Amino acid sequence: MAAKQHTLPQGFQTTGVTCGIKDSGLPDLSLFTSDTPATSVGVFTQNQVVGAPVIVSRGRVPSPSVRGIIINSGNANACTGEQGLTDAQRMTAILAEQFTCDESDVLVCSTGVIGHFLPMPVIENGIRDAFKQLGKSSEDLTKAAKSIMTTDTVEKISSKQIEIDGTLITVTGVAKGAAMIAPNMATMLSVIMTDCQLETSLADSMLKQAVNQSFNCISVEGHTSTSDTVLLMANGATGQGCASEQLQQALQSALNEVCSDLAQQIIRDAEGAEHFVRVEVSGLENEDDARRIAKVVCESPLVKTAVTGNDPNWGRIVSAAGYAGVPFQEQDLSLRLNDVVIYEWGSPTSFDESALSKSMATGEIKIQLEFRLGNEKMTYWTCDLTSEYIRLNADYTT
Amino acid sequence: MAAKQHTLPQGFQTTGVTCGIKDSGLPDLSLFTSDTPATSVGVFTQNQVVGAPVIVSRGRVPSPSVRGIIINSGNANACTGEQGLTDAQRMTAILAEQFTCDESDVLVCSTGVIGHFLPMPVIENGIRDAFKQLGKSSEDLTKAAKSIMTTDTVEKISSKQIEIDGTLITVTGVAKGAAMIAPNMATMLSVIMTDCQLETSLADSMLKQAVNQSFNCISVEGHTSTSDTVLLMANGATGQGCASEQLQQALQSALNEVCSDLAQQIIRDAEGAEHFVRVEVSGLENEDDARRIAKVVCESPLVKTAVTGNDPNWGRIVSAAGYAGVPFQEQDLSLRLNDVVIYEWGSPTSFDESALSKSMATGEIKIQLEFRLGNEKMTYWTCDLTSEYIRLNADYTT
């Protein structure tokens, strides 16, 4: 099968190399660069403990003039104190030298194990080496997407093209993340590039909206990481902006679509996952209530293991909803599992358990919690919890 | 080895029988009775979705005149609508007939699978049958403790005797719970009996204090169940009360000790658990902050699986503390694992990873998070997350 072709937005170059952080010899350093200064904004983890690169990059956005982003995998440069901060800044200085730009115009992310210092000599060489290999092809993008992977098994790329006022605009993103995934940006990183022209304040609000309905709606195990970062670069290479609200809405939709696609790719590649689970919560008074219930259902190990066993053990779903901290009466809740009503306004229905279990075995699970308390809703995505997840996580560092 | 002997407080009788709820033929119905009306108080699950027995029993305590408690295992009588309520009330009516007391003087608990109606004919016969077998021996208590078990592998009993003003007072409790254990009273049930004389209001505050430092400090996987209940019966059979604050404190200590012992027994018997984990959080501004951090660390699947693998992957512990919602700076946190300092005021230390991993392999883990923000602390207990847990929970109903 021929590799899928991806399109980089105009005026961007990317690459990925093996610099030698990972013992495995797999690629571990990526560059995402813009030929001209790009508007850049970011969304970061809400953990109190953050990696050094988060501190550095968070302090540099929003920015009208970012030239590049460095991401290394294999080491998160988190919980590394002053030395970690010095190292993260040094990484950006090395790339800035290549551009002859200010180091504040370079951003940095790191992902991997926590609490170890970066091997700076190999990283410095890696950045210089990668800079020489930058390119605009689909292959160059795939290399960049592969080099940010940790326990991911496939690279995650998503691209969408739209016409704005007769100009073709491209939005392209990559992401990584296989565990420590929780709403509020877990061990995931993502870079989104577009050749549309955007002011920083508009770019900021557009990225926040896109993240809120994509990366903030996924959960593997509810552990918010120290490194999560989504960065958007808009370099305006097409010369086209978003003058009207209608054009802005078109770009927002493209951005939402790319982020949502990447978020779902992360869940489909979650560590040990055998089932992809979509949780729809509707009929709540406000979106926050819907989000809290969706999150708790997605993070209940008892719900996840029932899914692992193709077991329509709906009591676990209803009882998870019950401890989300949202007041409700049982008679205001109905539950559908793969489109079968199994709990209707507070009472169990009779249904064909064996047929439902078979539909769960396809690996695609849809859980719909319908309340009759209002009109707000929320969709979340998660996966099941398997013995393979335990195996992968019981032996990650030693 | 001879079975351990347990002492019932004076004036109490217990037993357990097989009435036929469980397909396995294992014991599934217990009675705990007082020869005279007993002061009775309870603490119940905080889930919005509660089993019918919780609704019934919650409505009957505090009470000065409880005669008995029925507990069935194998079926939680939860999410069962009006029929469930009728069934729970009917159970209490059957036992009340035996006593010739009011049905409001009988309490009821159920534990097991959610969403199935109780098999009432076998339960009614079971209650009448059990009533005839009530006794005061250690064996009768063990039978009662065994008959409330679901996936527990051993019964949980704890007893403590103290002298108050020259009178011997006994506090004896039983508990069950192997999964769906979370603070705020998960799928656990416990009955505590004492022959001390207590007013309902004092009994209530004493039970709450005991539960708050025991059953509310354990977590297997953070799923709060629909059925959790702790009931205390004080029948005053010794004629001895707690007139002074000093005597009251002596009884409180005994009660705390029994509840804490039972709570730890639950964790040691948690589904699939291979490691017993004690998490001590200290140096916070208030107890609530300490509790939030302890809870999040105990419930992180990444912390749990690191423990499973005897892996001193301390970054997972620090990053879990970081998303508990308690603001702090990394330099105000130190971490000890089995008494080895591995993170000191925000920086990693160098330590012997292999020796530490060996100490973890003993199965006893102590995690100490020390902050320098105040003087409040909290201790929690949890277990690891193993493939055996997944196996047990992927196939529970089907």
Tab-separated table of all heavy atoms in Angstrom, chain A residues 296-340:
chain	number	residue	atom	x	y	z
A	296	VAL	N	-15.975	11.359	34.101
A	296	VAL	CA	-15.992	10.310	35.129
A	296	VAL	C	-16.294	8.947	34.506
A	296	VAL	O	-15.678	7.938	34.861
A	296	VAL	CB	-17.004	10.670	36.241
A	296	VAL	CG1	-17.354	9.461	37.069
A	296	VAL	CG2	-16.415	11.756	37.128
A	297	VAL	N	-17.234	8.906	33.567
A	297	VAL	CA	-17.557	7.626	32.906
A	297	VAL	C	-16.330	7.127	32.137
A	297	VAL	O	-15.970	5.953	32.201
A	297	VAL	CB	-18.779	7.773	31.969
A	297	VAL	CG1	-18.961	6.533	31.105
A	297	VAL	CG2	-20.043	8.041	32.798
A	298	CYS	N	-15.661	8.045	31.435
A	298	CYS	CA	-14.476	7.668	30.651
A	298	CYS	C	-13.331	7.180	31.535
A	298	CYS	O	-12.495	6.414	31.085
A	298	CYS	CB	-13.976	8.847	29.826
A	298	CYS	SG	-14.927	9.099	28.334
A	299	GLU	N	-13.269	7.672	32.763
A	299	GLU	CA	-12.114	7.349	33.601
A	299	GLU	C	-12.373	6.242	34.611
A	299	GLU	O	-11.468	5.860	35.351
A	299	GLU	CB	-11.617	8.617	34.307
A	299	GLU	CG	-10.990	9.560	33.302
A	299	GLU	CD	-10.533	10.884	33.878
A	299	GLU	OE1	-10.655	11.081	35.104
A	299	GLU	OE2	-10.058	11.719	33.091
A	300	SER	N	-13.586	5.693	34.643
A	300	SER	CA	-13.864	4.624	35.602
A	300	SER	C	-13.213	3.320	35.141
A	300	SER	O	-13.554	2.774	34.098
A	300	SER	CB	-15.371	4.401	35.734
A	300	SER	OG	-15.598	3.121	36.298
A	301	PRO	N	-12.277	2.789	35.930
A	301	PRO	CA	-11.666	1.512	35.556
A	301	PRO	C	-12.698	0.385	35.461
A	301	PRO	O	-12.505	-0.556	34.702
A	301	PRO	CB	-10.684	1.239	36.707
A	301	PRO	CG	-10.388	2.582	37.273
A	301	PRO	CD	-11.673	3.352	37.148
A	302	LEU	N	-13.793	0.502	36.201
A	302	LEU	CA	-14.812	-0.541	36.131
A	302	LEU	C	-15.589	-0.474	34.820
A	302	LEU	O	-15.949	-1.498	34.249
A	302	LEU	CB	-15.752	-0.458	37.334
A	302	LEU	CG	-15.108	-0.926	38.642
A	302	LEU	CD1	-16.001	-0.612	39.830
A	302	LEU	CD2	-14.825	-2.426	38.587
A	303	VAL	N	-15.863	0.736	34.321
A	303	VAL	CA	-16.494	0.863	33.003
A	303	VAL	C	-15.529	0.351	31.933
A	303	VAL	O	-15.893	-0.437	31.056
A	303	VAL	CB	-16.881	2.334	32.710
A	303	VAL	CG1	-17.327	2.507	31.266
A	303	VAL	CG2	-17.972	2.804	33.677
A	304	LYS	N	-14.262	0.762	32.029
A	304	LYS	CA	-13.266	0.392	31.028
A	304	LYS	C	-13.067	-1.126	30.954
A	304	LYS	O	-12.932	-1.702	29.877
A	304	LYS	CB	-11.925	1.040	31.350
A	304	LYS	CG	-11.860	2.523	31.062
A	304	LYS	CD	-10.625	3.074	31.744
A	304	LYS	CE	-10.255	4.459	31.333
A	304	LYS	NZ	-10.150	4.720	29.917
A	305	THR	N	-13.014	-1.778	32.123
A	305	THR	CA	-12.781	-3.223	32.101
A	305	THR	C	-14.029	-3.975	31.647
A	305	THR	O	-13.922	-5.041	31.053
A	305	THR	CB	-12.302	-3.743	33.470
A	305	THR	OG1	-13.172	-3.258	34.492
A	305	THR	CG2	-10.882	-3.294	33.763
A	306	ALA	N	-15.218	-3.416	31.900
A	306	ALA	CA	-16.439	-4.037	31.356
A	306	ALA	C	-16.370	-4.009	29.830
A	306	ALA	O	-16.705	-4.990	29.163
A	306	ALA	CB	-17.690	-3.313	31.862
A	307	VAL	N	-15.899	-2.886	29.290
A	307	VAL	CA	-15.747	-2.778	27.830
A	307	VAL	C	-14.713	-3.800	27.336
A	307	VAL	O	-14.930	-4.489	26.332
A	307	VAL	CB	-15.343	-1.339	27.432
A	307	VAL	CG1	-14.913	-1.278	25.973
A	307	VAL	CG2	-16.503	-0.374	27.692
A	308	THR	N	-13.607	-3.919	28.054
A	308	THR	CA	-12.583	-4.902	27.687
A	308	THR	C	-13.199	-6.292	27.534
A	308	THR	O	-12.892	-7.026	26.605
A	308	THR	CB	-11.486	-4.968	28.785
A	308	THR	OG1	-10.991	-3.659	29.004
A	308	THR	CG2	-10.347	-5.893	28.379
A	309	GLY	N	-14.091	-6.638	28.450
A	309	GLY	CA	-14.723	-7.960	28.436
A	309	GLY	C	-15.978	-8.045	27.578
A	309	GLY	O	-16.713	-9.029	27.667
A	310	ASN	N	-16.257	-7.018	26.765
A	310	ASN	CA	-17.479	-6.972	25.950
A	310	ASN	C	-18.709	-7.249	26.803
A	310	ASN	O	-19.636	-7.957	26.396
A	310	ASN	CB	-17.405	-7.976	24.795
A	310	ASN	CG	-16.269	-7.670	23.853
A	310	ASN	OD1	-16.059	-6.526	23.463
A	310	ASN	ND2	-15.504	-8.698	23.498
A	311	ASP	N	-18.699	-6.679	27.998
A	311	ASP	CA	-19.718	-6.981	28.992
A	311	ASP	C	-20.650	-5.779	29.151
A	311	ASP	O	-20.231	-4.727	29.616
A	311	ASP	CB	-18.988	-7.273	30.313
A	311	ASP	CG	-19.944	-7.551	31.445
A	311	ASP	OD1	-21.165	-7.539	31.217
A	311	ASP	OD2	-19.456	-7.774	32.563
A	312	PRO	N	-21.932	-5.910	28.754
A	312	PRO	CA	-22.851	-4.762	28.875
A	312	PRO	C	-23.280	-4.539	30.327
A	312	PRO	O	-24.473	-4.524	30.637
A	312	PRO	CB	-24.028	-5.159	27.977
A	312	PRO	CG	-23.998	-6.646	27.926
A	312	PRO	CD	-22.578	-7.090	28.157
A	313	ASN	N	-22.307	-4.394	31.217
A	313	ASN	CA	-22.534	-4.246	32.659
A	313	ASN	C	-22.859	-2.779	32.932
A	313	ASN	O	-22.047	-2.024	33.467
A	313	ASN	CB	-21.257	-4.679	33.382
A	313	ASN	CG	-21.459	-4.804	34.875
A	313	ASN	OD1	-22.383	-4.216	35.429
A	313	ASN	ND2	-20.589	-5.551	35.529
A	314	TRP	N	-24.088	-2.394	32.563
A	314	TRP	CA	-24.464	-0.978	32.540
A	314	TRP	C	-24.532	-0.348	33.929
A	314	TRP	O	-24.464	0.877	34.056
A	314	TRP	CB	-25.797	-0.814	31.818
A	314	TRP	CG	-26.876	-1.635	32.424
A	314	TRP	CD1	-27.198	-2.926	32.088
A	314	TRP	CD2	-27.737	-1.270	33.499
A	314	TRP	NE1	-28.221	-3.369	32.888
A	314	TRP	CE2	-28.577	-2.373	33.758
A	314	TRP	CE3	-27.893	-0.123	34.267
A	314	TRP	CZ2	-29.540	-2.372	34.754
A	314	TRP	CZ3	-28.859	-0.105	35.255
A	314	TRP	CH2	-29.675	-1.218	35.493
A	315	GLY	N	-24.673	-1.154	34.972
A	315	GLY	CA	-24.725	-0.599	36.328
A	315	GLY	C	-23.467	0.198	36.639
A	315	GLY	O	-23.497	1.189	37.361
A	316	ARG	N	-22.349	-0.238	36.072
A	316	ARG	CA	-21.099	0.489	36.296
A	316	ARG	C	-21.125	1.873	35.648
A	316	ARG	O	-20.540	2.817	36.161
A	316	ARG	CB	-19.921	-0.314	35.727
A	316	ARG	CG	-19.705	-1.636	36.443
A	316	ARG	CD	-18.461	-2.336	35.929
A	316	ARG	NE	-18.252	-3.609	36.587
A	316	ARG	CZ	-17.290	-4.471	36.244
A	316	ARG	NH1	-16.464	-4.167	35.250
A	316	ARG	NH2	-17.156	-5.600	36.889
A	317	ILE	N	-21.802	1.984	34.498
A	317	ILE	CA	-21.889	3.277	33.807
A	317	ILE	C	-22.789	4.222	34.591
A	317	ILE	O	-22.431	5.374	34.862
A	317	ILE	CB	-22.424	3.084	32.365
A	317	ILE	CG1	-21.529	2.118	31.587
A	317	ILE	CG2	-22.557	4.423	31.656
A	317	ILE	CD1	-22.099	1.662	30.247
A	318	VAL	N	-23.950	3.728	34.993
A	318	VAL	CA	-24.904	4.544	35.742
A	318	VAL	C	-24.306	4.970	37.080
A	318	VAL	O	-24.425	6.128	37.503
A	318	VAL	CB	-26.226	3.766	35.948
A	318	VAL	CG1	-27.142	4.505	36.921
A	318	VAL	CG2	-26.923	3.537	34.612
A	319	SER	N	-23.614	4.046	37.753
A	319	SER	CA	-23.069	4.407	39.064
A	319	SER	C	-21.889	5.365	38.924
A	319	SER	O	-21.658	6.208	39.793
A	319	SER	CB	-22.671	3.158	39.859
A	319	SER	OG	-21.673	2.418	39.195
A	320	ALA	N	-21.146	5.280	37.809
A	320	ALA	CA	-20.078	6.261	37.574
A	320	ALA	C	-20.693	7.648	37.396
A	320	ALA	O	-20.239	8.623	38.004
A	320	ALA	CB	-19.251	5.878	36.352
A	321	ALA	N	-21.747	7.746	36.591
A	321	ALA	CA	-22.432	9.029	36.409
A	321	ALA	C	-22.874	9.584	37.760
A	321	ALA	O	-22.812	10.791	38.007
A	321	ALA	CB	-23.634	8.859	35.481
A	322	GLY	N	-23.259	8.682	38.654
A	322	GLY	CA	-23.778	9.085	39.963
A	322	GLY	C	-22.752	9.703	40.887
A	322	GLY	O	-23.107	10.379	41.841
A	323	TYR	N	-21.457	9.459	40.626
A	323	TYR	CA	-20.478	10.088	41.521
A	323	TYR	C	-19.686	11.203	40.837
A	323	TYR	O	-18.605	11.593	41.285
A	323	TYR	CB	-19.563	9.056	42.201
A	323	TYR	CG	-18.550	8.325	41.353
A	323	TYR	CD1	-17.310	8.889	41.063
A	323	TYR	CD2	-18.811	7.061	40.880
A	323	TYR	CE1	-16.373	8.206	40.310
A	323	TYR	CE2	-17.877	6.368	40.122
A	323	TYR	CZ	-16.662	6.944	39.847
A	323	TYR	OH	-15.741	6.265	39.095
A	324	ALA	N	-20.246	11.757	39.765
A	324	ALA	CA	-19.563	12.847	39.056
A	324	ALA	C	-19.735	14.187	39.760
A	324	ALA	O	-19.131	15.175	39.352
A	324	ALA	CB	-20.089	12.940	37.625
A	325	GLY	N	-20.566	14.212	40.792
A	325	GLY	CA	-20.765	15.464	41.507
A	325	GLY	C	-21.866	16.328	40.905
A	325	GLY	O	-22.009	17.492	41.249
A	326	VAL	N	-22.650	15.745	39.998
A	326	VAL	CA	-23.770	16.469	39.384
A	326	VAL	C	-25.068	15.898	39.977
A	326	VAL	O	-25.328	14.713	39.846
A	326	VAL	CB	-23.776	16.272	37.853
A	326	VAL	CG1	-24.968	16.969	37.230
A	326	VAL	CG2	-22.463	16.760	37.246
A	327	PRO	N	-25.863	16.742	40.638
A	327	PRO	CA	-27.090	16.212	41.256
A	327	PRO	C	-28.114	15.806	40.197
A	327	PRO	O	-28.348	16.545	39.245
A	327	PRO	CB	-27.621	17.403	42.076
A	327	PRO	CG	-26.584	18.466	42.011
A	327	PRO	CD	-25.716	18.180	40.827
A	328	PHE	N	-28.687	14.626	40.321
A	328	PHE	CA	-29.804	14.215	39.454
A	328	PHE	C	-30.576	13.069	40.114
A	328	PHE	O	-30.083	12.454	41.054
A	328	PHE	CB	-29.299	13.800	38.055
A	328	PHE	CG	-28.465	12.544	38.033
A	328	PHE	CD1	-29.049	11.278	37.929
A	328	PHE	CD2	-27.073	12.614	38.097
A	328	PHE	CE1	-28.267	10.121	37.911
A	328	PHE	CE2	-26.285	11.465	38.077
A	328	PHE	CZ	-26.883	10.219	37.981
A	329	GLN	N	-31.774	12.848	39.640
A	329	GLN	CA	-32.583	11.718	40.084
A	329	GLN	C	-32.449	10.604	39.053
A	329	GLN	O	-32.389	10.867	37.858
A	329	GLN	CB	-34.059	12.117	40.183
A	329	GLN	CG	-34.322	13.311	41.083
A	329	GLN	CD	-34.103	12.964	42.547
A	329	GLN	OE1	-34.553	11.912	43.003
A	329	GLN	NE2	-33.394	13.821	43.262
A	330	GLU	N	-32.479	9.360	39.520
A	330	GLU	CA	-32.346	8.241	38.587
A	330	GLU	C	-33.406	8.265	37.491
A	330	GLU	O	-33.156	7.863	36.362
A	330	GLU	CB	-32.449	6.921	39.345
A	330	GLU	CG	-31.181	6.559	40.092
A	330	GLU	CD	-31.392	5.355	40.995
A	330	GLU	OE1	-31.680	4.267	40.485
A	330	GLU	OE2	-31.300	5.539	42.223
A	331	GLN	N	-34.621	8.734	37.836
A	331	GLN	CA	-35.695	8.700	36.825
A	331	GLN	C	-35.497	9.737	35.714
A	331	GLN	O	-36.278	9.774	34.771
A	331	GLN	CB	-37.078	8.854	37.462
A	331	GLN	CG	-37.270	10.126	38.269
A	331	GLN	CD	-37.032	9.874	39.755
A	331	GLN	OE1	-36.238	8.998	40.132
A	331	GLN	NE2	-37.704	10.626	40.603
A	332	ASP	N	-34.442	10.548	35.822
A	332	ASP	CA	-34.144	11.507	34.750
A	332	ASP	C	-32.992	11.047	33.867
A	332	ASP	O	-32.401	11.828	33.128
A	332	ASP	CB	-33.825	12.889	35.342
A	332	ASP	CG	-35.053	13.520	35.960
A	332	ASP	OD1	-36.157	13.329	35.396
A	332	ASP	OD2	-34.926	14.178	37.000
A	333	LEU	N	-32.650	9.755	33.967
A	333	LEU	CA	-31.516	9.236	33.177
A	333	LEU	C	-31.920	7.994	32.379
A	333	LEU	O	-32.544	7.070	32.910
A	333	LEU	CB	-30.364	8.868	34.129
A	333	LEU	CG	-29.185	8.081	33.516
A	333	LEU	CD1	-28.514	8.851	32.376
A	333	LEU	CD2	-28.146	7.738	34.589
A	334	SER	N	-31.570	8.015	31.084
A	334	SER	CA	-31.671	6.823	30.237
A	334	SER	C	-30.301	6.536	29.655
A	334	SER	O	-29.473	7.441	29.513
A	334	SER	CB	-32.666	7.044	29.093
A	334	SER	OG	-33.981	6.989	29.575
A	335	LEU	N	-30.065	5.283	29.319
A	335	LEU	CA	-28.748	4.876	28.831
A	335	LEU	C	-28.890	3.988	27.603
A	335	LEU	O	-29.682	3.044	27.597
A	335	LEU	CB	-28.030	4.099	29.946
A	335	LEU	CG	-26.679	3.472	29.606
A	335	LEU	CD1	-25.625	4.540	29.358
A	335	LEU	CD2	-26.224	2.554	30.746
A	336	ARG	N	-28.127	4.345	26.561
A	336	ARG	CA	-28.043	3.499	25.361
A	336	ARG	C	-26.613	3.005	25.229
A	336	ARG	O	-25.673	3.764	25.414
A	336	ARG	CB	-28.364	4.304	24.098
A	336	ARG	CG	-29.815	4.436	23.754
A	336	ARG	CD	-29.964	5.205	22.421
A	336	ARG	NE	-31.353	5.359	22.061
A	336	ARG	CZ	-32.188	6.201	22.644
A	336	ARG	NH1	-31.760	6.989	23.610
A	336	ARG	NH2	-33.459	6.274	22.255
A	337	LEU	N	-26.469	1.733	24.887
A	337	LEU	CA	-25.147	1.171	24.607
A	337	LEU	C	-25.198	0.616	23.190
A	337	LEU	O	-26.047	-0.245	22.894
A	337	LEU	CB	-24.830	0.072	25.633
A	337	LEU	CG	-23.453	-0.587	25.565
A	337	LEU	CD1	-22.324	0.418	25.678
A	337	LEU	CD2	-23.326	-1.628	26.680
A	338	ASN	N	-24.343	1.117	22.321
A	338	ASN	CA	-24.410	0.763	20.896
A	338	ASN	C	-25.845	0.775	20.372
A	338	ASN	O	-26.328	-0.198	19.764
A	338	ASN	CB	-23.720	-0.583	20.641
A	338	ASN	CG	-22.203	-0.438	20.616
A	338	ASN	OD1	-21.675	0.651	20.857
A	338	ASN	ND2	-21.492	-1.510	20.317
A	339	ASP	N	-26.539	1.874	20.659
A	339	ASP	CA	-27.896	2.157	20.174
A	339	ASP	C	-29.001	1.292	20.778
A	339	ASP	O	-30.151	1.382	20.367
A	339	ASP	CB	-27.962	2.084	18.634
A	339	ASP	CG	-27.099	3.170	17.986
A	339	ASP	OD1	-27.144	4.309	18.479
A	339	ASP	OD2	-26.372	2.862	17.022
A	340	VAL	N	-28.664	0.451	21.769
A	340	VAL	CA	-29.695	-0.340	22.446
A	340	VAL	C	-30.039	0.346	23.778
A	340	VAL	O	-29.139	0.647	24.570
A	340	VAL	CB	-29.193	-1.779	22.717
A	340	VAL	CG1	-30.236	-2.584	23.500
A	340	VAL	CG2	-28.831	-2.465	21.405
